[in-house]
Amino acid sequence: MIRSSFLSFSPPALSAAEEQAVLEVVREGTWLSSGPRTKQFEQEFQARVDAQAALALNSCTAGLHLAMAVHGVGPGREIVTTPLTFCATANVAEHLGGTVRLADIDRETLLIDPKQMERALTKNTRVLLPVHYAGQPCEMETIERLARAADVAVVEDAAHCLPSLIGERWIGNSNNLTAFSFYATKNITSGEGGMLTGPAELVDRARVLALHGMSRAAWDRFKKGGAWQYDVEAPGYKYNLTDIAAALGLTQLRRLDELYAARMNVVRAYNEAFSDLNILRLPRVREGVQSSHHLYVILLELDRLTITRDQFINELTERNIGSSVHYRPLHLMSYYAKKYGWTPADFPNATWAFERMVSLPLSSKMSVTDAHDVIEAVRDIARKFKR
Ligand SMILES: *Cc1c(COP(=O)(O)O)cnc(C)c1O
């Protein structure tokens, strides 16, 4: 049975509460740019992940860019990150004139391999930039040990990570600048938006750079009794979040437990259905961590199938099931391949994963019936194209 309507890959899960929250901001008409909602969003986010400090931004990319700037990435300075990420992770180092080095992933977890990070370190390295891929935390203890030994900073790309845990500690609670995303497809959304967490001293430096390099936020300047004077300490950026977006994000944050529970219902249905399907394998989730399950990635066993990954995706589409690929690795993107002379064989594990990965539909908006439609489609493709 083919589903009658197309199932989108990752629609946002919005309710009447989000609608109300945004309407209130517009009806009040006093603060459209960063104001009380943005402050509130920062405070509640900080409390939710037990962060030392939090800075609301208009994207996760902005957070990563600011983190690179705070840690002095620039000409002649290098970062080390994973090839299996969204381009923004590396682009921000390029914006500052820095150099990107890649460390290949582990084939089982699809996470950056600390041994490969160690090999990519040089005397010019400034930042180790692990990405908690699909919401599963990286091996932070090992990565932080490496960073201490080499005297370099760690920045965490936590775009996928709400709510993720290492032991009892939320991602966002470490001593590293950590960037979250509230892009429309992420676990919670503000349309566009992001949050940077970390030690107060580092977040404060990012806060100045996030608003033109001005020594005092507009929010303070325009409050009653706020002084009009300000200095410009550095040529900063324009990365602040609007109160309209913050109202949306704040409402989603308050619904996080409910949204995560709905997401997990889909994940559990998939896990159960796919555990005995031998045309695919699932990435391993490490002991002692909680993944936010931002993505549900399957790895096709290509030698058990008569079709390629791309054909598999076409078959899903024909069955009205949306899907995606996360990601075409950085070393295969023309800009990076040209600039650094990288070939597919340079990061063989990421290339291997890319050729067989499919992200199945997953969102808090999906019902268990939707999940069963996906499972049925995958089983049907398996039956038809099994070798
Ligand atoms: C979405 C994403 C980003 C960028 O987030 P924005 O909020 O869109 O800037 C960065 N890194 C990863 C891994 C992402 O998935």
Side-chain angles (χ1 to χ4, degrees):
M1 260 286 284
I2 291 181
R3 243 185 101 86
S4 54
S5 64
F6 187 71
L7 178 65
S8 15
F9 166 70
S10 179
L14 303 176
S15 68
E18 281 83 350
E19 197 177 312
Q20 186 60 32
V22 171
L23 260 180
E24 269 170 26
V25 175
V26 177
R27 287 200 176 130
E28 281 170 23
T30 44
W31 281 100
L32 295 179
S33 181
S34 307
R37 258 76 170 197
T38 304
K39 266 277 160 275
Q40 187 74 22
F41 189 26
E42 285 179 348
Q43 284 165 4
E44 292 192 23
F45 190 90
Q46 181 179 336
R48 188 63 174 75
V49 302
D50 208 9
Q52 300 173 55
L55 168 64
L57 297 164
N58 57 19
S59 72
C60 172
T61 305
L64 293 168
H65 192 190
L66 294 170
M68 296 302 107
V70 163
H71 287 306
V73 171
R77 310 250 162 93
E78 301 170 359
I79 69 153
V80 176
T81 193
T82 168
L84 196 62
T85 187
F86 184 61
C87 59
T89 315
N91 287 351
V92 294
E94 295 285 326
H95 292 333
L96 292 161
T99 299
V100 175
R101 287 182 163 264
L102 298 179
D104 206 356
I105 57 164
D106 177 277
R107 282 197 189 194
E108 283 196 7
T109 60
L110 308 184
L111 299 175
I112 193 166
D113 179 350
K115 287 191 292 292
Q116 298 297 328
M117 293 181 98
E118 191 168 9
R119 289 182 50 190
L121 270 166
T122 76
K123 61 179 193 327
N124 299 319
T125 309
R126 273 292 148 126
V127 173
L128 301 184
L129 180 40
V131 176
H132 303 302
Y133 177 84
Q136 172 169 196
C138 295
E139 291 174 57
M140 292 311 293
E141 227 175 277
T142 313
I143 292 168
E144 285 169 355
R145 199 175 328 116
L146 261 180
R148 272 194 302 277
D151 194 24
V152 302
V154 177
V155 171
E156 300 173 49
D157 183 333
H160 299 176
C161 268
L162 205 63
S164 298
L165 284 163
I166 300 180
E168 309 272 282
R169 295 180 63 167
W170 296 108
I171 292 294
N173 150 275
S174 72
N175 287 317
N176 311 317
L177 284 175
T178 301
F180 294 85
S181 175
F182 312 126
Y183 179 67
T185 58
K186 298 288 158 58
N187 283 23
I188 70 166
T189 185
S190 60
E192 297 278 2
M195 194 73 75
L196 188 67
T197 62
E201 187 251 336
L202 295 178
V203 170
D204 284 346
R205 277 158 66 192
R207 190 181 296 278
V208 170
L209 286 178
L211 202 66
H212 307 296
M214 294 186 334
S215 57
R216 271 184 110 192
W219 155 241
D220 289 327
R221 285 190 293 126
F222 295 122
K223 265 193 312 199
K224 189 171 172 200
W228 59 268
Q229 290 103 329
Y230 62 88
D231 182 34
V232 173
E233 298 170 10
Y237 308 98
K238 184 63 163 62
Y239 279 165
N240 57 303
L241 189 70
T242 68
D243 256 28
I244 303 171
L248 193 50
L250 189 54
T251 311
Q252 289 256 291
L253 181 66
R254 289 173 180 168
R255 292 179 60 210
L256 181 58
D257 290 333
E258 168 209 332
L259 293 173
Y260 185 60
R263 178 174 292 271
M264 285 309 295
N265 284 339
V266 177
V267 168
R268 272 191 295 270
Y270 282 168
N271 282 348
E272 198 173 309
F274 297 145
S275 62
D276 60 353
L277 200 59
N278 73 0
I279 58 121
L280 59 83
R281 69 163 95 171
L282 303 173
R284 180 170 66 85
V285 178
R286 298 185 307 115
E287 287 289 311
V289 303
Q290 171 183 290
S291 173
S292 64
H293 291 284
H294 172 55
L295 300 172
Y296 198 94
V297 177
I298 59 172
L299 295 167
L300 300 177
E301 299 282 9
L302 293 177
D303 41 5
R304 297 211 170 104
L305 285 165
T306 58
I307 52 173
T308 64
R309 188 272 315 278
D310 289 351
Q311 288 167 325
F312 190 96
I313 285 178
N314 292 341
E315 293 296 327
L316 282 174
T317 311
E318 275 182 22
R319 288 164 179 77
N320 265 340
I321 305 296
S323 61
S324 190
V325 171
H326 296 87
Y327 297 89
R328 181 175 164 200
L330 286 178
H331 68 291
L332 305 183
M333 296 295 189
S334 63
Y335 170 81
Y336 288 97
K338 266 191 218 127
K339 175 168 180 187
Y340 295 101
W342 287 327
T343 68
D346 286 335
F347 305 98
N349 294 346
T351 303
W352 174 89
F354 168 61
E355 283 166 355
R356 57 205 74 222
M357 63 176 26
V358 180
S359 300
L360 295 180
L362 178 58
S363 89
S364 304
K365 201 179 180 178
M366 271 177 74
S367 65
V368 172
T369 312
D370 292 331
H372 284 294
D373 288 343
V374 176
I375 290 164
E376 217 20 76
V378 170
R379 283 206 180 116
D380 187 45
I381 297 169
R383 269 193 300 270
K384 287 215 169 81
F385 299 102
K386 200 152 56 183
R387 200 184 279 283

